[in-house]
Amino acid sequence: MSRAVTADHVLFDECIDAFRRERDDYRTYDKGESYSFLLTPFKISEEWNLRRFQVSPSIEVTLPGAYSAFISKVNNPEWVGTHNPHLFGVALSTIVSAVTLKPCKSTRDDYLCRRTELSEHDIHQLAIIHPVLVAGPGANYSRLSKSKQDQMKEEISNLIDILFSLEYKIYRIVMQSLRLIHLSLITKRDDFGLAYLLIVSAIESVAQKAIKRDKVKRKDADEAAWKEKSNEDPLFQSLLEAYLHSRGKNEYLRERFVKFIEQYAPVENWEQYIVHPMQDMADSIKEINPSHNFENLTGKHWFEKYPDDFTQEEINLILSDVYAHRSCFVHRGEQPPHTDPNPSLNRFFQEVREYDGYNIKEVILPNYELLLGVAKHSIYNWTSEKLNKA
């Protein structure tokens, strides 16, 4: 059961439980019709029937400056009840964000969640929760094509079906990893390094479950000779034991991170996983003018690096560096070396030149959007595998 009063703070464990109850333990006074809210960075044009519940079309609110808000009311399932029904909305916003790879939000309290009709004051109160920049540099493209929205709706429905079919323990693991994707998306504009850390952590959280330590641990080729030498030299034996003890504490998290991506989001699928940054705009234009040529928007530029330009060893090294950059942020607050958070002309990678005196070093960095796509699909593929084995 969640807290009596959530007091404008989210404890995500409560949201996990509210979205899928492990047991029917809510009391009589909790029963009744309730609602929650989904605030998206794009306009939902038609009702989304997600099988277990419905999401209403967006109410668009024009805010000061170049900002708008898009508010959808959610008819909660019956099991949610009237006690803190907004927790269901927080969980739903997490799932929608992780599928659409766009930042979504919900309310942190339930004050408006039992109202069948919203006043103008209510709508503006909701709008300030998630203002979306819709014009100018860095603006969000908020008009998605019908086909794109239909695809999103189907993906969300399928993921929800999977989440309800998983063993409850696995369901919790998946929801926690999706929450990390969600948090990454909603913090990216405020701090790129934190968003980068969270998206790497989303992958790592599942990689630790999927890839056992023994699959990636290394054994030195000279270890047998060291053991033989230690039989004759007590001092060397002490040194060897210290080394083996230290190695035994190594969880090989970086290696498991790379192995997990290699296994569950193989590089040959990245072109399917990672849409071009201008694809939403191209799809919307295509809906109006199907004959328009979009090669200049979404085609490969002569200067771009694509996944098939690298060997698997080079890709693994790039991914290993990703984990290193994440660790630099965790331990030193050092931002990743990316120079552009939104490289619209590079679909997969950006090249950064580092200067060390007279030496110039070129570094290949995966775009944030590449990591997002890899996170989404690797976690989904692992989840599907767990479901099929159940």
Side-chain angles (χ1 to χ4, degrees), residues 174-231:
V174 176
M175 284 295 286
Q176 288 163 357
S177 65
L178 298 183
R179 178 63 166 174
L180 289 168
I181 296 176
H182 181 209
L183 292 173
S184 176
L185 286 161
I186 62 180
T187 59
K188 177 173 176 270
R189 288 177 183 261
D190 291 320
D191 194 296
F192 180 80
L194 179 57
Y196 191 93
L197 154 70
L198 289 167
I199 202 63
V200 173
S201 297
I203 301 170
E204 182 188 30
S205 67
V206 180
Q208 291 183 63
K209 302 292 182 182
I211 306 298
K212 300 303 180 186
R213 178 182 179 275
D214 288 350
K215 280 191 175 182
V216 296
K217 71 176 183 181
R218 295 188 300 271
K219 187 174 182 179
D220 197 285
D222 294 327
E223 193 167 320
W226 295 345
K227 287 183 178 178
E228 187 174 335
K229 180 177 174 59
S230 69
N231 293 331

Side-chain angles (χ1 to χ4, degrees), residues 16-31:
I16 293 175
D17 292 336
F19 192 79
R20 176 185 159 185
R21 292 187 183 273
E22 186 176 12
R23 57 189 182 276
D24 186 16
D25 62 352
Y26 58 98
R27 296 185 287 273
T28 304
Y29 69 79
D30 295 327
K31 294 182 178 178

Side-chain angles (χ1 to χ4, degrees), residues 150-162:
D150 289 344
Q151 177 192 340
M152 287 176 169
K153 179 179 68 174
E154 189 59 27
E155 283 188 38
I156 292 164
S157 291
N158 290 339
L159 179 56
I160 290 172
D161 287 344
I162 290 172

Side-chain angles (χ1 to χ4, degrees), residues 173 180 200-214 251-261 264 323 326 382:
I173 292 169
L180 289 168
V200 173
S201 297
I203 301 170
E204 182 188 30
S205 67
V206 180
Q208 291 183 63
K209 302 292 182 182
I211 306 298
K212 300 303 180 186
R213 178 182 179 275
D214 288 350
E251 294 293 330
Y252 297 99
L253 296 179
R254 185 193 300 200
E255 292 81 0
R256 290 158 78 180
F257 171 82
V258 173
K259 185 69 175 177
F260 177 75
I261 294 174
Y264 290 97
Y323 196 86
R326 167 260 190 202
W382 177 79

